[in-house]
Amino acid sequence: QVQIEESGGGLVQPGGSLRLSCAASGNIFSIWSMGWYRQAPGKQRELVASITSTGKTDYGEFVKGRFTISIDNAKNTVYLQMNGLKPEDTDVYFCNAAVSNGAGYVFDYWGQGTQVTVSS
């Protein structure tokens, strides 16, 4: 009953920027939090950035101030502004949404992943 739509991934040169977007739609009473995670081959999924509906943020250590996450509550959409991209940022990025259905339950939803490639 909830759909996750990711966009904004692609190929960019080192030092460049990308803006990832993720929109949640469907049976949503409220969004508790949304975020972006990455997963390289053979490694576990790790936090890139997350944000609650009230604006509380959390960032992975590797971001080092280069990325900024924001949320548009009216659109149930989260944005990840990625600046100063490095080749080691290359990975598959997954969107996550924690959604309340208004009936006493909160469910975790994941996007299918979008490729970010940083290369000259």
Side-chain angles (χ1 to χ4, degrees):
Q1 290 187 295
V2 175
Q3 295 179 333
I4 304 295
E5 301 173 356
E6 303 163 319
S7 63
L11 175 65
V12 66
Q13 296 185 29
S17 298
L18 285 174
R19 182 176 171 88
L20 303 185
S21 298
C22 177
S25 61
N27 186 23
I28 301 172
F29 180 77
S30 64
I31 295 286
W32 283 39
S33 66
M34 298 185 72
W36 286 95
Y37 297 73
R38 71 179 189 180
Q39 186 169 19
K43 296 187 177 181
Q44 65 182 14
R45 193 167 296 184
E46 65 179 347
L47 172 72
V48 178
S50 66
I51 187 169
T52 70
S53 61
T54 58
K56 183 179 180 180
T57 59
D58 193 17
Y59 292 94
E61 291 295 326
F62 69 92
V63 171
K64 296 180 175 66
R66 297 176 296 126
F67 298 175
T68 302
I69 193 166
S70 61
I71 190 167
D72 185 336
N73 289 312
K75 296 181 179 180
N76 292 328
T77 299
V78 67
Y79 305 95
L80 183 66
Q81 182 65 46
M82 309 168 70
N83 298 324
L85 285 163
K86 305 174 181 179
E88 51 263 43
D89 294 321
T90 297
D91 217 329
V92 179
Y93 287 70
F94 297 86
C95 179
N96 170 265
V99 177
S100 170
N101 64 1
Y105 296 96
V106 177
F107 297 96
D108 224 28
Y109 293 91
W110 291 93
Q112 64 182 351
T114 185
Q115 178 70 46
V116 171
T117 302
V118 185
S119 177
S120 60

